[in-house]
Amino acid sequence: MSKVEETVTRYLQGLSCSQSVFVVYRQPKGLSESDALKLSTVFGAGMCGTGCGLCGAASGALLALSMRHGMDGIDSLDAKARTYELGRQFLAEFGQRMDGVTTCEGILGMSPLSTEYKERSKELRATKCAGAVRTAAEILESML
């Protein structure tokens, strides 16, 4: 199974959007799966399940990029600049492929805290959210 398919499968099995992307694309030697799940939990469904802010799948991808390329000490400012550039490239591609929308609420067309979302959550997770997870994984795959 490809990493993209693994990411979508883990999402559909119950991980959050941020967790599914970050867990699959983290550096396993640098961070256990358990710690990766803990670290990326707060970014699911926008931010803290509110739908506000960046899509959780994109946040998970940015975490993976940062883990791979980010600065590891005060003397690695060049890595910080490189990581920011990669992050901007990811966000530009993600926004383009998501029809200009990068927020959880924008992708869903509603807040994940709304009654309508709660009534339609299975459908929306399987369609809109899984699509965002797939898109984030595909872009990240091409960047790594």
Side-chain angles (χ1 to χ4, degrees), residues 8 14-15 23 32 37 46-48 50 54 62 92 105 120 126 130 138 143:
V8 174
L15 291 184
V23 163
S32 71
L37 288 169
M47 292 288 166
C48 307
T50 65
L54 186 63
L62 292 173
E105 193 169 82
R120 297 179 55 203
E138 288 172 350
M143 293 181 78

Side-chain angles (χ1 to χ4, degrees), residues 16-69:
S16 74
C17 42
S18 59
Q19 289 173 317
S20 61
V21 176
F22 184 56
V23 163
V24 172
Y25 286 95
R26 78 190 192 287
Q27 291 181 297
K29 291 180 182 176
L31 189 67
S32 71
E33 182 168 326
S34 175
D35 286 341
L37 288 169
K38 289 177 185 179
L39 181 65
S40 57
T41 297
V42 75
F43 298 106
M47 292 288 166
C48 307
T50 65
C52 297
L54 186 63
C55 165
S59 294
L62 292 173
L63 282 170
L65 282 171
S66 191
M67 187 170 195
R68 179 74 57 97
H69 300 286

Side-chain angles (χ1 to χ4, degrees), residues 45-46 49-52 104-105 108 110-115 117-118:
T50 65
C52 297
C104 174
E105 193 169 82
L108 289 172
M110 67 188 74
S111 168
L113 298 174
S114 70
T115 302
Y117 176 80
K118 290 174 181 153

Side-chain angles (χ1 to χ4, degrees), residues 71-122:
M71 61 186 288
D72 59 4
I74 197 68
D75 294 330
S76 60
L77 292 176
D78 56 330
K80 179 180 175 182
R82 173 77 174 130
T83 305
Y84 281 6
E85 177 58 32
L86 290 169
R88 286 190 294 269
Q89 288 174 17
F90 173 86
L91 288 172
E93 178 70 17
F94 186 76
Q96 181 181 28
R97 290 185 53 184
M98 297 302 295
D99 298 323
V101 180
T102 60
T103 64
C104 174
E105 193 169 82
I107 291 167
L108 289 172
M110 67 188 74
S111 168
L113 298 174
S114 70
T115 302
E116 182 181 0
Y117 176 80
K118 290 174 181 153
E119 293 169 354
R120 297 179 55 203
S121 64
K122 285 185 181 183

